[in-house]
Amino acid sequence: MRINLLTLLLFLGITANYSCKNNTNMSDNNPLLQSFNTPHQTAPFDKIKEEHFLPAFQKAMEEGRADIEAIINNPEQPTFENTIEALEKSGEKLNRISNIFFNLNAAETNDKIQSIAREVSPMLSEYSNDIWLSDKLFEKVKAVYEKQHNADALNEEQHKLLEDTYKSFTRKGALLSGDKKEKYREISAELSKLALQFGENVLA
């Protein structure tokens, strides 16, 4: 059966539009992606369902990557505020979702949650490595560190954050050469998988 090209394009356009609206509705209705209007902003576990986690992770990682790109592409000179502080604030939603999910996985897991964990863990490992192994991002962090780690302009908390951020990059592969960075990616991904498997064995 031959399909008219115009009809096909119209169908694809309608399908894409529906899919986009459906994804938007998923985000709007996902409690993990909304502000927690609860005492002390605790997680609303009565509203969170297992099917909320994967799309929440995907959306939060998308937003986190956008935060990192904004830091990297900032045309201004790297400063504590536009680099270190911005990096600390990036991915806040992803951190919140991860804390909820993996604590739930450790305390009250089931086959579905463990299946999500196996799918999400390599995604999180790749997301983390993309940050720690980014040459452009580390250049900015290093520039701020070399300029300000002994500066009087920073208070004690800022000094601590700057020091911890720089050390985190160096300890997670930022100083490695290209081929060694790829080896680090492989090893960290495998460790993430094995750590999750070990946890499942202990729970079992």
Side-chain angles (χ1 to χ4, degrees):
M1 182 178 71
R2 298 181 63 185
I3 300 176
N4 182 277
L5 179 59
L6 181 60
T7 303
L8 178 60
L9 291 174
L10 179 61
F11 170 77
L12 291 174
I14 293 172
T15 303
N17 186 50
Y18 172 78
S19 177
C20 182
K21 289 181 178 179
N22 191 47
N23 288 338
T24 301
N25 290 336
M26 287 270 303
S27 297
D28 290 342
N29 297 326
N30 192 326
L32 290 166
L33 296 173
Q34 301 170 2
S35 299
F36 292 170
N37 296 319
T38 56
H40 311 294
Q41 295 184 332
T42 54
F45 287 106
D46 58 322
K47 297 180 180 178
I48 297 173
K49 299 180 180 179
E50 292 162 358
E51 57 264 30
H52 289 141
F53 282 108
L54 186 57
F57 271 115
Q58 292 170 333
K59 180 65 175 177
M61 277 188 267
E62 179 184 327
E63 293 180 3
R65 290 185 188 279
D67 291 340
I68 297 301
E69 284 300 312
I71 297 171
I72 292 174
N73 296 324
N74 189 335
E76 299 177 1
Q77 288 294 316
T79 64
F80 180 87
E81 289 74 17
N82 68 24
T83 301
I84 306 302
E85 192 173 292
L87 183 59
E88 176 70 8
K89 292 179 179 178
S90 69
E92 286 183 341
K93 190 176 293 182
L94 180 59
N95 290 335
R96 184 181 72 174
I97 295 168
S98 296
N99 287 334
I100 293 171
F101 176 77
F102 285 104
N103 276 291
L104 189 63
N105 185 39
E108 193 178 359
T109 194
N110 57 45
D111 291 343
K112 178 62 177 177
I113 290 177
Q114 289 185 349
S115 175
I116 295 170
R118 286 190 290 271
E119 185 172 357
V120 164
S121 288
M123 294 165 57
L124 291 172
S125 179
E126 181 181 5
Y127 174 88
S128 177
N129 282 331
D130 286 345
I131 294 175
W132 302 121
L133 301 177
S134 169
D135 292 331
K136 293 181 179 179
L137 183 59
F138 181 59
E139 284 178 8
K140 287 179 173 281
V141 171
K142 185 179 179 182
V144 177
Y145 179 78
E146 292 178 342
K147 181 180 179 181
Q148 292 193 278
H149 78 284
N150 286 324
D152 294 333
L154 301 181
N155 61 36
E156 185 177 350
E157 289 79 10
Q158 290 171 326
H159 274 291
K160 176 64 174 172
L161 177 57
L162 178 58
E163 189 79 19
D164 288 350
T165 302
Y166 181 78
K167 285 183 178 179
S168 292
F169 272 88
T170 59
R171 290 170 177 172
K172 295 179 181 180
L175 296 176
L176 296 174
S177 59
D179 57 335
K180 290 183 178 179
K181 281 187 176 182
E182 290 308 309
K183 184 65 176 177
Y184 178 88
R185 281 182 181 272
E186 295 175 10
I187 293 173
S188 61
E190 182 67 13
L191 282 174
S192 174
K193 177 182 176 182
L194 291 174
L196 183 63
Q197 183 179 341
F198 177 81
E200 289 182 0
N201 291 343
V202 171
L203 286 171

